[in-house]
Amino acid sequence: MRKNSIKNTRINGEVLKELSNIIHGEIKDPRIHPMTSVVAVEVAPDLKSCKAYISVLGDEESQKDTIKGLRSAEGFIRRQLAQNINLRNTPEITFVLDQSIEYGVNMSHLIDEVNAGIKDEE
């Protein structure tokens, strides 16, 4: 199976959806920030490993705590994923902190400031 095959794309989408449901609905760890979202999932073609890109809206401390909480709950998450998705192998999940949403919000603020400065000059 190629990395960008239709089957792999479908599996990525299904794992992303189930992972989001598990993180928001079933994990009770207080370290995990309520504004945590799964941005993207990359499942390897052999279904042995998976990278989950996690975005946390909050300060740096809450981001670190959320990643620690997710790593400690990795076994539970994998077991729930195996129950919810019928795959030949349940992938081992690696959580990666993704800061693209935060970067986009900061860029939007900077653009708004520049636009406000231009309007003030007119």
Side-chain angles (χ1 to χ4, degrees):
M1 177 169 56
R2 291 187 332 265
K3 187 174 183 180
N4 293 337
S5 69
I6 294 171
K7 181 180 177 185
N8 198 286
T9 304
R10 247 191 348 234
I11 290 172
N12 287 344
E14 193 64 29
V15 170
L16 178 111
K17 186 174 78 171
E18 286 300 325
L19 203 54
S20 294
N21 290 339
I22 292 168
I23 288 173
H24 288 291
E26 300 180 28
I27 296 180
K28 304 288 190 257
D29 194 333
R31 293 178 289 186
I32 297 175
H33 196 271
M35 294 296 290
T36 301
S37 60
V38 182
V39 177
V41 171
E42 290 178 5
V43 179
D46 62 354
L47 305 176
K48 298 275 187 196
S49 63
C50 165
K51 279 187 180 179
Y53 295 93
I54 307 294
S55 177
V56 180
L57 196 63
D59 61 342
E60 196 171 320
E61 187 67 31
S62 65
Q63 292 175 351
K64 288 179 183 177
D65 287 344
T66 299
I67 293 295
K68 284 180 188 175
L70 289 172
R71 286 187 180 143
S72 71
E74 190 174 326
F76 173 77
I77 293 171
R78 190 172 181 199
R79 186 171 62 246
Q80 292 299 109
L81 205 59
Q83 288 176 358
N84 295 340
I85 300 177
N86 186 16
L87 291 175
R88 186 175 11 151
N89 297 319
T90 303
E92 192 161 325
I93 304 167
T94 304
F95 293 104
V96 179
L97 186 61
D98 183 41
Q99 297 179 334
S100 62
I101 294 176
E102 184 179 346
Y103 178 77
V105 168
N106 288 336
M107 281 304 197
S108 179
H109 286 300
L110 291 174
I111 290 170
D112 290 342
E113 287 176 12
V114 169
N115 286 339
I118 291 173
K119 287 181 181 177
D120 290 340
E121 291 175 4
E122 293 178 355

